[in-house]
Amino acid sequence: MRKWLSLAALIIALDQISKWAVLTSLPLYARIELTGFFNLVHVRNEGAAFSLLADQPGWQRFFFIALSLTVSALIIWWLRKPAPILQHAAFALILGGAIGNGIDRIIHGNVVDFLDFHLLGWHWPAFNVADSAIVLAAGILLWMSLRPQHD
């Protein structure tokens, strides 16, 4: 279990360091164009993925903090049980992402996002390292659920 908690800690560290770099070097709503399809931006997300519930009057902050703590506790419990290596890796990525974004909600009241991909004027919602880890984990779990099982 120690290696999975270490992976989660690495995600948390990378997430918080990258967000610190954005917070200290890029004013809110600023944008740096790096390529024809990628910008660094400094935006805040009051909600969840795709700004879900961002327009609510503030209760969502505490809801998402509680959700982050609950999910983190469940994942730590699941990591104690035998499972395939990829499943444990995915759980560790989710754990790191949930805690990384949870830290933002506790400290800032929202989540710092800064990765902005775009194509032909269409922008994917900005995201961060924690979000990337969670999406990667979801992909791993989806792939595991679709592959043939050999007992």
Side-chain angles (χ1 to χ4, degrees), residues 76-99:
I76 290 169
W77 180 71
W78 284 330
L79 285 173
R80 298 176 60 91
K81 297 181 172 285
I85 290 173
L86 277 177
Q87 184 175 327
H88 274 161
F91 286 163
L93 291 170
I94 294 169
L95 178 62
I99 292 173

Side-chain angles (χ1 to χ4, degrees), residues 44-48 52-55 60-61 64 105 109-111:
R44 303 295 182 95
N45 185 354
E46 305 282 338
L52 178 69
L53 301 177
D55 59 348
Q60 73 275 25
R61 173 185 183 192
F64 289 126
R105 290 184 194 288
N110 52 46
V111 174

Side-chain angles (χ1 to χ4, degrees), residues 14 17-18 21 24 43 47 51 53 55 57 87 93 100-101 104-105 121 124 139 142-143 149:
L14 291 173
I17 290 167
S18 61
T24 58
V43 295
S51 296
L53 301 177
D55 59 348
Q87 184 175 327
L93 291 170
N101 282 339
D104 277 20
R105 290 184 194 288
W124 186 258
L142 179 63
W143 178 78
Q149 300 297 314

Side-chain angles (χ1 to χ4, degrees), residues 3-61:
K3 66 182 167 185
W4 305 122
L5 294 178
S6 296
L7 176 57
L10 175 64
I11 295 301
I12 295 164
L14 291 173
D15 181 63
Q16 292 299 302
I17 290 167
S18 61
K19 289 172 179 174
W20 172 82
V22 168
L23 287 166
T24 58
S25 63
L26 201 57
L28 187 59
Y29 305 118
R31 177 183 67 189
I32 300 173
E33 294 180 29
L34 296 178
T35 71
F37 62 90
F38 175 67
N39 302 323
L40 284 179
V41 297
H42 179 179
V43 295
R44 303 295 182 95
N45 185 354
E46 305 282 338
F50 306 106
S51 296
L52 178 69
L53 301 177
D55 59 348
Q56 296 301 302
W59 62 266
Q60 73 275 25
R61 173 185 183 192

Side-chain angles (χ1 to χ4, degrees), residues 106-144:
I106 291 167
I107 294 173
H108 307 294
N110 52 46
V111 174
V112 177
D113 289 328
F114 57 91
L115 302 170
D116 174 38
F117 286 90
H118 57 92
L119 182 63
L120 302 173
W122 181 83
H123 288 255
W124 186 258
F127 59 100
N128 57 47
V129 172
D131 298 334
S132 300
I134 292 168
V135 169
L136 176 59
I140 291 169
L141 293 172
L142 179 63
W143 178 78
M144 288 181 70

